[in-house]
Amino acid sequence: MREKMNKGTEEKNIFVFTDEQQEIVCSHFGKKKEEMEEWEICELLDKVIDNLD
């Protein structure tokens, strides 16, 4: 699910990162979701996105 918000010239995209998706991303990096903080999981997602070249 994605929602766009427009504030003047600023545009934000809001994404829902489900538990299942978080498990997949953590597994990709050999990590256990239960042992990670939310911000760490988001950092892993950033790495995945950065490598989409």
Side-chain angles (χ1 to χ4, degrees):
M1 173 186 220
R2 184 173 84 167
E3 179 182 325
K4 284 189 176 184
M5 299 174 63
N6 293 317
K7 293 182 180 179
T9 59
E10 182 181 322
E11 186 175 295
K12 289 186 177 183
N13 292 315
I14 298 173
F15 295 89
V16 175
F17 190 23
T18 67
D19 285 335
E20 182 180 1
Q21 292 167 327
Q22 291 175 28
E23 290 282 351
I24 292 167
V25 169
C26 289
S27 172
H28 176 76
F29 289 99
K31 307 282 185 179
K32 292 184 180 179
K33 179 181 178 282
E34 308 81 40
E35 298 174 357
M36 301 189 71
E37 298 290 331
E38 184 176 313
W39 67 268
E40 293 173 308
I41 297 170
C42 290
E43 288 289 320
L44 293 179
L45 177 61
D46 285 343
K47 287 183 182 183
V48 169
I49 293 168
D50 289 344
N51 289 317
L52 287 176
D53 301 11

